[in-house]
Amino acid sequence: MSGTTSSRTMRAWRVHGPGDTRLDVVPRPVPAAPDDVQVRIEAAGICGTDLWVHEHAPVPADYRHPLVGTAGPHVLGHEMAGTVTATGPAARLPVGSLVAVRPLLACGTCSTCRRCEPNLCEQRAFLGIHGGGGAFAEYVVVAADQLHPLPPPFTARTGALVETLATCWHAVSAVEVAPDDVVLVVGAGPVGLGLVLCLRARGVRQVLVSARDGVRAEAATALGARRLDPAQGPLHRLVRPATGGAGVAVSYDAAGAAGPVVDQQVRALRPGGHLVAVAEFHDAPTVDLTRLVREGKHLHGSAAYTPSDVDAVVGAVAAGLLDPSPLVTSTLALEDLLVGGLHHLSSGGRSRDVKVLVTAAGPAVTPR
Ligand SMILES: [Zn+2]
Ligand SMILES: [Zn+2]
């Protein structure tokens, strides 16, 4: 449990088993390889994946991922930004730089990596899931090429959203969308709302969002989307008046709901339209593939992101085209992650929050 830290230790939330994530005092990581960089984590986003990893502990503590090599218990959390505090001799990032960590590790040599799709790497690993450190800690050490410097107007808080937004940017890059196309986003969590931000940043003017009421639905409207209430009927009926009966050009599924919602999206597409699945489905949805065939519609899966998606998000924020800050609805201290973050979000907190951030407050080391 939480204890006293020194300059050689830090606090970190580690997954010991299903539902057993503990705030441990562990050795503070320091640069070992020449291109290693130590980052003091200043903001870390809590993601649905973190809830799942906390509840299921899918990576055994004794498993060493080939790209990471560290034994567990592994630190939780993969969405993080902070300040460079130390570097190896070959790392060119100045101490004090504000950076976002790109937690997706790829081998660089498999067939998909050679096709420049590291997001699909056969050995893909994530910091915060497979070892190698994680976001819910005071420090992390990563190779310099896993870091993205954050120019103004970034803060650590908006920097912690870069990873989520890169997932969204990758998804909106899957299909060409014209500025006057009407598109649909299903789900108004951080990914759904991030899709709205990325679509707006790319000049798409008419974004419909299917969202139940609550903070997330209000946020969709505040971001310039038009909200559809799925309680009012099936999606294909709801989009009809909004598209003059034509249907939407693209539907982005950020809900991952089993049942008829995916089929409703297929029906909501205009002929030749595209459905881009971004969320993972834990239970299989039902889809009428005959309709897909007869109406020439397309189904896409969008997996994570590439380094250039991260760069594109950073560039869009720097250019003033994208402001991630409305997604942050509350912040917590590191020690409050379990109750105020994981338990809160898995027991109804999602209707009151969009993105909850863990933020570092005060000095890096708090003797007590
Ligand atoms: Zn995430
Ligand atoms: Zn690979």
Side-chain angles (χ1 to χ4, degrees):
M1 271 309 289
S2 171
T4 304
T5 58
S6 71
S7 62
R8 295 206 181 147
T9 59
M10 68 168 185
R11 296 174 303 155
W13 285 97
R14 300 192 303 167
V15 180
H16 289 257
D20 183 12
T21 303
R22 303 179 204 163
L23 185 58
D24 294 326
V25 174
V26 299
R28 185 183 298 186
V30 292
D35 65 337
D36 273 352
V37 176
Q38 183 195 57
V39 176
R40 182 192 177 224
I41 299 166
E42 282 164 15
I46 305 175
C47 172
T49 301
D50 298 322
L51 304 182
W52 196 81
V53 171
H54 161 64
E55 281 160 20
H56 299 274
V59 181
D62 61 355
Y63 173 73
R64 289 175 188 263
H65 189 285
L67 294 186
V68 182
T70 55
H74 300 303
V75 181
L76 185 65
H78 55 275
E79 303 175 1
M80 60 195 122
T83 304
V84 172
T85 40
T87 66
R92 302 205 175 278
L93 276 165
V95 168
S97 305
L98 183 65
V99 291
V101 176
R102 191 182 74 258
L104 192 160
L105 306 175
C107 75
T109 56
C110 72
S111 60
T112 48
C113 280
R114 289 201 309 272
R115 290 201 309 268
C116 298
E117 295 181 297
N119 55 316
L120 307 178
C121 173
E122 291 164 12
Q123 296 193 82
R124 181 175 73 173
F126 283 89
L127 301 175
I129 298 175
H130 300 105
F136 303 132
E138 290 171 313
Y139 290 86
V140 70
V141 167
V142 297
D145 67 3
Q146 298 293 132
L147 295 174
H148 296 256
L150 299 175
F154 267 107
T155 61
R157 292 180 183 205
T158 49
L161 291 163
V162 162
E163 202 257 357
T164 302
L165 289 165
T167 299
C168 303
W169 196 273
H170 191 77
V172 302
S173 306
V175 175
E176 197 81 41
V177 183
D180 54 353
D181 279 340
V182 185
V183 302
L184 171 66
V185 172
V186 176
V191 171
L193 296 174
L195 287 164
V196 175
L197 285 173
C198 293
L199 287 160
R200 304 281 293 173
R202 292 164 71 122
V204 180
R205 290 189 289 268
Q206 299 187 72
V207 183
L208 310 174
V209 174
S210 167
R212 300 196 181 282
D213 55 8
V215 164
R216 294 177 171 202
E218 288 162 22
T221 309
L223 296 178
R226 185 166 151 200
R227 181 203 162 211
L228 305 177
D229 179 1
Q232 302 293 317
L235 286 170
H236 51 284
R237 297 238 175 84
L238 298 178
V239 304
R240 212 173 280 156
T243 57
V248 293
V250 187
S251 181
Y252 302 90
D253 188 295
V261 179
V262 172
D263 199 58
Q264 291 173 14
Q265 290 176 76
V266 171
R267 294 174 70 140
L269 297 175
R270 70 187 184 193
H274 301 260
L275 194 158
V276 180
V278 192
E280 293 196 1
F281 291 80
H282 294 295
D283 295 299
T286 320
V287 186
D288 177 1
L289 289 179
T290 299
R291 182 182 300 277
L292 201 81
V293 172
R294 287 192 182 150
E295 298 177 3
K297 294 173 176 175
H298 308 263
L299 200 50
H300 307 257
S302 182
Y305 45 81
T306 64
S308 52
D309 293 313
V310 181
D311 289 336
V313 167
V314 171
V317 173
L321 298 171
L322 199 168
D323 175 13
S325 53
L327 300 189
V328 179
T329 48
S330 53
T331 59
L332 298 173
L334 183 64
E335 56 269 28
D336 296 329
L337 172 75
L338 193 63
V339 174
L342 302 179
H343 291 174
H344 164 69
L345 288 169
S346 56
S347 59
R350 290 182 206 212
S351 64
R352 299 191 294 281
D353 269 304
V354 180
K355 182 61 84 179
V356 178
L357 295 185
V358 170
T359 55
V365 181
T366 314
R368 50 191 160 131

